[in-house]
Amino acid sequence: TRSSTVSGLGDVYKRQAVVSTPPSDTKSSEDSVAAPTATVIPTTELSPTPETLITEIPDAISPLCDNLGATSVYRNQEVGFELEYPAEWHILSGDYTSVLTSWELDKGGRGGSIPDGSTKVDIVVQFNAASLPEVVAQRRQQYENNEEGPLIILSEENWRLASGLQAVRWSVAFSGHEDAYEIITVINGYTVILGGHGDPDLFDAIACTMRLI
């Protein structure tokens, strides 16, 4: 039996990342969840650049995505991006992972199965200061070393999002779980990863709204 859990792909970061909090006095806006504690994938530490950098990747496409209708906005003022999600959805902020769900989470919001017909998106922010190709290579290594068994990349596309933001979009399979989806990008010295379970078209529609601020 295959299942999707609420914790999902975000757990891969927790098991393999080293927590580091870069200095910042910036607070999230009223529309935002609390800024997540940053997390470093092991790599050479660099100082983040003070300006927005967009990593160029080859053959990037501008995806065609569904309209979300009425939306709310998740904003991370410190990192410098925002995205939209359906207005009726629910949001739960964690130390370095925020969770968007199409259903109301139980207290704690962790564990258990995703209800049938539901969709979930993790927003993971990691202080890294690596380039997008370096981050993608690190992520592949994490997949290969996953303690529950290797994760398999089923498909891969290079995306160009709003504001010219470059990203890599994966579909991922791992034993005992439903297939998942991932958007990987780099903004101002931070790795930003969206991990999704459920409806891939709805996940893509949310990912398509991610933009620089």
Side-chain angles (χ1 to χ4, degrees), residues 167-184:
V168 174
R169 197 271 193 199
W170 286 346
S171 293
V172 182
F174 56 117
S175 179
H177 298 271
E178 294 289 347
D179 295 346
Y181 321 100
E182 209 165 75
I183 292 285
I184 307 170

Side-chain angles (χ1 to χ4, degrees), residues 74 78 88 96 130 136 139 164 183 189 208:
Y74 165 89
E78 180 178 346
E88 69 274 14
Y96 56 88
V136 170
R139 190 71 178 124
I183 292 285
C208 280

Side-chain angles (χ1 to χ4, degrees), residues 115-136:
D116 289 344
S118 299
T119 300
K120 164 182 171 286
V121 176
D122 294 316
I123 307 171
V124 180
V125 176
Q126 303 168 326
F127 179 62
N128 194 350
S131 69
L132 181 55
E134 290 170 334
V135 168
V136 170

Side-chain angles (χ1 to χ4, degrees), residues 56-66 157-169 183 204-205 207-210:
E56 292 294 333
I57 53 177
D59 303 320
I61 64 171
S62 298
L64 298 175
C65 299
D66 296 337
E157 293 180 335
N158 294 335
W159 278 17
R160 183 181 295 106
L161 299 172
S163 306
L165 187 62
Q166 306 283 293
V168 174
R169 197 271 193 199
I183 292 285
D204 287 349
C208 280
T209 69
M210 186 161 58

Side-chain angles (χ1 to χ4, degrees), residues 84-169:
E84 299 175 29
Y85 60 95
E88 69 274 14
W89 276 35
H90 305 270
I91 186 166
L92 176 71
S93 61
D95 290 338
Y96 56 88
T97 302
S98 297
V99 182
L100 306 174
T101 61
S102 62
W103 77 100
E104 187 170 4
L105 292 168
D106 293 335
K107 184 177 181 180
R110 309 280 183 200
S113 297
I114 295 177
D116 289 344
S118 299
T119 300
K120 164 182 171 286
V121 176
D122 294 316
I123 307 171
V124 180
V125 176
Q126 303 168 326
F127 179 62
N128 194 350
S131 69
L132 181 55
E134 290 170 334
V135 168
V136 170
Q138 293 165 4
R139 190 71 178 124
R140 290 185 196 276
Q141 189 65 42
Q142 285 184 327
Y143 279 4
E144 293 174 3
N145 297 335
N146 183 42
E147 64 184 31
E148 295 180 0
L151 283 73
I152 300 170
I153 298 172
L154 301 175
S155 65
E156 179 174 346
E157 293 180 335
N158 294 335
W159 278 17
R160 183 181 295 106
L161 299 172
S163 306
L165 187 62
Q166 306 283 293
V168 174
R169 197 271 193 199

Side-chain angles (χ1 to χ4, degrees), residues 56-84:
E56 292 294 333
I57 53 177
D59 303 320
I61 64 171
S62 298
L64 298 175
C65 299
D66 296 337
N67 190 300
L68 289 171
T71 60
S72 296
V73 175
Y74 165 89
R75 180 179 295 114
N76 190 311
Q77 196 73 36
E78 180 178 346
V79 178
F81 78 98
E82 65 183 15
L83 58 78
E84 299 175 29

